Amino acid sequence: MPRGGYELVLQVTNSPFNQEQVELLNRLLPMLTDTQRNWLSGYLAAQSCATAAAPGPAAAIAPGPAAQAIEGADAPVAAAPREVTVLFGSQSGNSHGLAKKLVKKLEEQGLKTTLSAMSDFKPNTLKKVQDLLLVVSTHGEGEPPDNAISFYEFLHSKRAPKLDDLRFSVLALGDTSYEFFCQTGKDFDKRLEELGGKRLIPRVDCDVDFEGPAAKWIDEVVKSLSVASATASSPSAAAAPGATAATGAAESAYSRSNPFHAEVLENLNLNGRGSDKETRHLELSLEGSNLQYEPGDSLGVYPENDPRLVDELIAAMGWNADEPVAVPKSGEEIPLREALLRHYEITVLTKPLLEQIAKLAGGSKLQELVAAGDRQELKAYMQGRDLLDLVQDYSLKGVPARELVPLLRKLPARLYSISSSPKATPDEVHITVRSVRYEAHGRDRYGVCSVHLAERVQPGDTLPVFIQRNPNFRLPENPDTPIIMVGPGTGVAPFRAFLAEREEIGAEGKAWLFFGDQHFSTDFLYQLELQRWLKDGVLTRLDVAFSRDTEEKVYVQHRMLEKSRELYQWLEEGAVVYVCGDKKKMANDVHAALTTIIAREGGLSPEAAAEYLNRMQQQKRYQRDVY
């Protein structure tokens, strides 16, 4: 240990010094005694005061501790700058990314900042927070994302403190096609006000096309928190325990708003002949893009609408396919058919859209539906219907394209869990996509992106893509840590990436995969690879459940319960559990199975078992990528 107990290591990122100054100070400071450091502290304080209060060189002032050096001086005391705490709740990474952009802009203005996931923030320090900025998404039917649950529950509990000195603002992310749009953000906003907090600026609710509204909110927040120039040179505060200091890492040239056009190298059907399902394995080239990803991240793909649906819609409205209309954001005018194919969402109905179209339709039955205020009736109508249904059901033919089309949302990207490791396949990214086809309300329906990829994308074509980082779904830093993966159907995608990565780095930790689908003979995705990894020891255990091959349907959670004792032993050894796939059914069933296993094998009550799982989640030993 250095003399005098001095342990702080200065860096350019945690001090106002440049690299050369940091290196000089880091060589000098460890060599100083306590006396020398006290002398230097007083000397610097005295020098500062002397510059303001007395003529002559600072060296003429007698050295000594600060109290002696400035005795009798009327030195102004600068007020300590307020510190800004930025918390994010994120399932897929969007809120995290926006929170980092916010912190970067705040720090450019000289503001002290702390950035933390809500799950890492210590709630008992909330009362000390002065300025709080929340960036949070809503998951499922109005639920907080996994890493926001603990903070959400604390804030809505009786343990939440009064926050009369708090200033706050909330950026909420959501999707207007869901009934409880941005509900988590609304809940946080309301609760912080109830606890006495004062809004810096009003909450902003973002739809799937969130970039513009989010950027405006960030600018308004930064403006409202701007500090005097005297504060701008203050060193950034060290992150609070459990928080991560923000960094301004350079962003990739390609992003959600500037996608890379990746060439399709392979497009294969993974299901065998006779299967009721079609699962596509796509391999895309990232060569020349400089795009980087890790196992656990997702690939964003911008799809095209089905040409059949676009043509039917144009015909039903009596529109001219070549009529020029504006493209979202850019305002550039292109032919109507091309705009509907590539730029506008036409397969999802939302309440705001129906309300706006009803105003155009003047005196129609659609106005009656919207004005009735029957939320359940409106929700029931929107479920499973698209824009073509709307114009046919409510006789909207004749509404001009120039009036209706600008009301539509921008066609959003679809996110798919990446199923490859960059170490195993450099300059490539792989995704696993199940084609969605079904019949509803008397018409055949098609998943926008999945059927686009299955039917209209060939090797040699290009797709506009971007990397969506997901720091909430990561392999353990220690490759010797055992992992348990639960991924039925296309939920196996990130685990193919995990295993490929662990093979490349020579990970020694045990790995257990639970996989399920309908039939062994036709639906065992990546069977040969998984069996090879099992044979080579990359995969320690593989348990499968094919629900239609047995008289009683058997799913992954049943296999987990069958292996209850051994699974609990893995948990006690520190295993990290990963779950990927459907949230509404599978993920809830798996969660219930884990709770049962922990209670049964650990001799715990249901409440204690639930707390065990909560602790695992806090320790990042229970991670979910569910949708």
Side-chain angles (χ1 to χ4, degrees):
M1 181 170 164
R3 269 194 299 173
Y6 190 86
E7 292 181 290
L8 175 65
V9 177
L10 291 175
Q11 299 174 5
V12 174
T13 55
N14 68 7
S15 74
F17 304 113
N18 62 33
Q19 187 62 46
E20 182 180 358
Q21 292 168 328
V22 163
E23 290 172 359
L24 288 170
L25 287 167
N26 280 334
R27 286 202 297 270
L28 172 65
L29 293 176
M31 298 186 293
L32 299 180
T33 64
D34 287 345
T35 301
Q36 289 170 329
R37 283 191 293 107
N38 287 336
W39 188 96
L40 185 60
S41 174
Y43 174 82
L44 293 174
Q47 184 185 49
S48 174
C49 293
T51 301
I61 298 177
Q68 292 177 314
I70 62 173
E71 186 177 357
D74 188 14
V77 180
R82 292 174 72 99
E83 180 174 345
V84 185
T85 299
V86 179
L87 302 182
F88 62 87
S90 182
Q91 196 73 36
S92 64
N94 287 330
S95 295
H96 188 188
L98 289 171
K100 288 196 289 186
K101 287 182 181 179
L102 168 62
V103 166
K104 183 179 179 183
K105 289 208 168 189
L106 291 170
E107 291 187 336
E108 286 170 355
Q109 296 299 313
L111 286 152
K112 299 169 67 177
T113 62
T114 296
L115 174 66
S116 174
M118 291 181 179
S119 57
D120 293 335
F121 180 74
K122 292 187 175 180
N124 58 3
T125 65
L126 183 60
K127 195 161 186 177
K128 300 176 184 177
V129 173
Q130 299 170 312
D131 293 310
L132 178 65
L133 303 175
L134 302 185
V135 185
V136 64
S137 62
T138 293
H139 197 52
E141 296 298 323
E143 303 157 19
D146 285 355
N147 70 348
I149 292 173
S150 57
F151 184 63
Y152 181 93
E153 290 177 346
F154 169 81
L155 208 63
H156 287 82
S157 72
K158 292 181 179 179
R159 293 181 295 125
K162 291 296 291 178
L163 302 171
D164 295 330
D165 296 327
L166 179 77
R167 301 188 304 190
F168 74 92
S169 188
V170 177
L171 179 67
L173 273 60
D175 184 338
T176 50
S177 65
Y178 286 87
E179 181 180 3
F180 300 102
F181 172 60
C182 286
Q183 190 62 50
T184 301
K186 293 174 182 177
D187 290 347
F188 274 127
D189 186 64
K190 179 183 177 185
R191 183 59 174 157
L192 288 170
E193 182 183 42
E194 290 173 348
L195 293 171
K198 307 295 184 296
R199 290 184 185 84
L200 279 161
I201 64 169
R203 184 190 76 247
V204 169
D205 298 335
C206 300
D207 201 356
V208 288
D209 187 17
F210 59 78
E211 290 96 333
K216 186 176 179 183
W217 178 83
I218 288 173
D219 287 343
E220 289 297 319
V221 163
V222 172
K223 249 186 236 177
S224 69
L225 286 171
S226 290
V227 293
S229 57
T231 308
S233 61
S234 298
S236 295
T244 305
T247 59
E251 294 181 6
S252 169
Y254 296 101
S255 62
R256 176 186 288 268
S257 57
N258 180 33
F260 174 69
H261 288 261
E263 180 182 355
V264 178
L265 304 174
E266 291 284 0
N267 188 350
L268 308 171
N269 183 5
L270 295 178
N271 294 98
R273 185 170 305 191
S275 175
D276 293 333
K277 301 185 177 184
E278 179 184 16
T279 309
R280 310 301 300 194
H281 169 82
L282 281 91
E283 301 181 0
L284 298 96
S285 172
L286 296 180
E287 188 174 359
S289 70
N290 201 31
L291 283 172
Q292 309 293 323
Y293 69 90
E294 296 179 53
D297 287 340
S298 296
L299 186 75
V301 180
Y302 281 104
E304 294 181 7
N305 284 310
D306 193 315
R308 294 166 291 190
L309 179 60
V310 170
D311 292 339
E312 288 179 45
L313 177 61
I314 291 173
M317 292 299 290
W319 288 337
N320 176 0
D322 296 322
E323 177 184 349
V325 296
V327 173
K329 289 192 175 179
S330 72
E332 174 193 359
E333 292 202 335
I334 62 174
L336 171 64
R337 187 175 188 275
E338 183 182 344
L340 292 177
L341 272 174
R342 297 185 175 88
H343 296 283
Y344 286 103
E345 184 172 68
I346 60 175
T347 58
V348 176
L349 297 179
T350 67
K351 183 181 178 183
L353 176 64
L354 265 63
E355 290 172 341
Q356 291 174 306
I357 293 178
K359 292 176 184 176
L360 291 179
S364 71
K365 290 185 178 179
L366 178 57
Q367 280 186 321
E368 295 176 15
L369 174 67
V370 172
D374 189 329
R375 193 176 72 182
Q376 292 307 315
E377 183 183 359
L378 191 60
K379 181 182 176 183
Y381 177 76
M382 293 188 297
Q383 187 70 36
R385 289 185 171 90
D386 58 24
L387 189 59
L388 179 59
D389 292 309
L390 184 70
V391 303
Q392 290 176 334
D393 294 344
Y394 290 95
S395 304
L396 299 179
K397 184 174 183 178
V399 176
R402 279 186 170 271
E403 293 183 20
L404 192 150
V405 171
L407 302 179
L408 303 176
R409 297 197 303 184
K410 178 184 174 185
L411 183 61
R414 270 54 173 181
L415 296 178
Y416 297 103
S417 298
I418 291 173
S419 53
S420 57
S421 157
K423 288 185 173 65
T425 51
D427 285 332
E428 289 184 18
V429 63
H430 303 172
I431 54 175
T432 311
V433 182
R434 182 150 287 169
S435 302
V436 177
R437 299 181 179 88
Y438 59 98
E439 190 274 336
H441 307 295
R443 277 180 40 219
D444 291 333
R445 314 280 168 160
Y446 308 96
V448 175
C449 195
S450 65
V451 172
H452 173 214
L453 298 178
E455 295 183 355
R456 304 190 301 278
V457 172
Q458 304 296 327
D461 293 343
T462 62
L463 288 170
V465 303
F466 61 91
I467 299 298
Q468 176 70 54
R469 302 204 176 279
N470 187 1
N472 304 313
F473 204 72
R474 286 282 185 262
L475 280 167
E477 290 185 13
N478 182 353
D480 295 338
T481 302
I483 61 174
I484 299 169
M485 302 163 286
V486 184
T490 56
V492 75
F495 304 136
R496 178 179 184 262
F498 280 16
L499 292 168
E501 180 88 356
R502 284 167 73 88
E503 180 178 37
E504 289 297 315
I505 65 176
E508 296 290 335
K510 299 185 295 183
W512 190 348
L513 173 64
F514 289 89
F515 172 77
D517 215 312
Q518 289 190 350
H519 298 286
F520 172 86
S521 59
T522 59
D523 306 320
F524 197 163
L525 307 184
Y526 300 116
Q527 178 183 358
L528 295 180
E529 285 180 297
L530 293 175
Q531 289 178 331
R532 178 179 66 79
W533 279 324
L534 191 63
K535 178 175 175 290
D536 293 345
V538 177
L539 184 59
T540 312
R541 292 202 57 157
L542 174 61
D543 282 275
V544 296
F546 294 100
S547 59
R548 304 301 192 273
D549 285 348
T550 52
E551 190 171 327
E552 283 190 30
K553 292 181 180 178
V554 177
Y555 298 108
V556 286
Q557 64 268 21
H558 300 130
R559 295 293 185 230
M560 293 169 66
L561 289 166
E562 289 172 3
K563 311 294 181 182
S564 176
R565 180 170 298 178
E566 188 171 359
L567 198 151
Y568 181 72
Q569 288 174 350
W570 280 48
L571 296 183
E572 288 291 280
E573 292 169 9
V576 180
V577 178
Y578 300 90
V579 181
C580 182
D582 169 65
K583 174 181 172 63
K584 289 183 180 177
K585 186 81 176 120
M586 182 278 297
N588 287 335
D589 291 341
V590 167
H591 186 89
L594 282 170
T595 306
T596 299
I597 289 167
I598 292 166
R600 177 196 300 167
E601 303 300 337
L604 302 175
S605 67
E607 294 76 18
E611 181 55 35
Y612 186 110
L613 262 185
N614 286 338
R615 284 197 304 273
M616 285 184 59
Q617 206 159 29
Q618 290 287 321
Q619 297 161 0
K620 295 183 172 53
R621 288 184 50 221
Y622 179 32
Q623 302 181 28
R624 307 196 307 169
D625 181 11
V626 295
Y627 37 83

